[in-house]
Amino acid sequence: KNEVEQSPQNLTAQEGEFITINCSYSVGISALHWLQQHPGGGIVSLFMLSSGKKKHGRLIATINIQEKHSSLHITASHPRDSAVYICAAENFGNEKLTFGTGTRLTIIP
Amino acid sequence: NAGVMQNPRHLVRRRGQEARLRCSPMKGHSHVYWYRQLPEEGLKFMVYLQKENIIDESGMPKERFSAEFPKEGPSILRIQQVVRGDSAAYFCASSPGTGTNEQYFGPGTRLTVT
């Protein structure tokens, strides 16, 4: 069973700050997913990555397979980035996702 | 191309009633996943289905819960004889099933059991 841990659980930052959210998992995976859950509850898939780095706008996701660790970065953070960010590990052999508990991000204007 | 659709968005049931939650995957997607998010808790996998097949139901409670994804029509998550502890947000996601497992989430159904 894969254990997925995120840190920090809560993060408050000023607008414009560089944000880093960390995710570690215990068992080798086929892919790591980053999701964003808005205050209204809807979930958006941000990234799915199995190696290296991906970038979309101000969001960057990296993964280190050897260290079983992934990070999500937000550059030039904005209040609209305020949400819960969730990482999820996809195990080899099946497509089931194991989720972290989420990081609640609040960006203050 | 419409996204993943779920209905109803909000569902209120009394203890003992049945709840039926529907999920229409994105066009061209043949894989459906159901997840549950209990209040103040993280998402938990429930079941993974392909058309007419349950692939993995290891996250489903053993009793009262069932899921199907028929050849035609939406996927259905059915909860019989609901109890207060079933109150949660139920999300479904779909993926194309070929080449990528990127999952697209629906807006969720918020079930409240009174």
Side-chain angles (χ1 to χ4, degrees):
Chain A
K1 182 184 173 186
N2 215 339
E3 304 290 337
V4 180
E5 295 188 359
Q6 284 186 240
S7 63
Q9 285 192 337
N10 294 284
L11 178 56
T12 300
Q14 294 286 335
E15 183 174 356
E17 286 190 39
F18 181 81
I19 303 299
T20 296
I21 299 171
N22 296 301
C23 176
S24 60
Y25 49 92
S26 58
V27 178
I29 60 172
S30 58
L32 193 288
H33 298 243
W34 281 101
L35 311 171
Q36 179 192 53
Q37 186 167 27
H38 295 284
I43 296 174
V44 174
S45 177
L46 298 175
F47 295 103
M48 184 181 78
L49 67 166
S50 53
S51 65
K53 175 179 171 179
K54 285 190 175 180
K55 184 175 189 290
H56 184 255
R58 295 180 295 105
L59 301 177
I60 304 165
T62 64
I63 188 167
N64 184 317
I65 298 297
Q66 286 73 31
E67 295 187 3
K68 296 186 177 61
H69 181 269
S70 176
S71 292
L72 177 68
H73 305 284
I74 305 174
T75 60
S77 59
H78 190 276
R80 65 174 174 266
D81 298 326
S82 298
V84 176
Y85 292 84
I86 304 166
C87 70
E90 180 183 334
N91 298 327
F92 283 113
N94 64 57
E95 298 180 18
K96 185 167 66 176
L97 298 182
T98 303
F99 297 88
T101 52
T103 294
R104 186 175 300 275
L105 174 66
T106 304
I107 303 298
I108 299 170
Chain B
N1 189 5
V4 178
M5 293 164 53
Q6 288 187 249
N7 67 81
R9 295 290 303 277
H10 300 274
L11 182 61
V12 179
R13 284 287 178 266
R14 292 184 176 165
R15 280 182 298 171
Q17 291 184 319
E18 178 179 286
R20 282 187 179 235
L21 288 61
R22 294 175 191 77
C23 170
S24 297
M26 286 183 71
K27 188 177 179 180
H29 286 193
S30 59
H31 293 205
V32 165
Y33 314 81
W34 284 94
Y35 302 99
R36 179 166 68 171
Q37 189 174 39
L38 293 166
E40 304 303 319
E41 293 190 21
L43 286 157
K44 294 282 194 300
F45 167 82
M46 297 184 76
V47 62
Y48 161 37
L49 309 107
Q50 295 176 20
K51 284 283 187 183
E52 300 184 279
N53 282 308
I54 297 173
I55 306 302
D56 183 340
E57 56 181 345
S58 58
M60 289 276 271
K62 293 286 185 280
E63 297 175 351
R64 302 187 297 107
F65 284 72
S66 62
E68 62 176 6
F69 188 17
K71 187 176 180 182
E72 302 290 338
S75 175
I76 306 284
L77 179 68
R78 183 181 177 209
I79 311 172
Q80 295 178 289
Q81 299 175 336
V82 295
V83 300
R84 287 218 172 102
D86 297 331
S87 296
Y90 292 83
F91 291 93
C92 84
S94 72
S95 73
T98 53
T100 176
N101 186 33
E102 184 159 8
Q103 298 185 21
Y104 296 81
F105 282 77
T109 294
R110 275 148 190 82
L111 172 66
T112 303
V113 180
T114 61

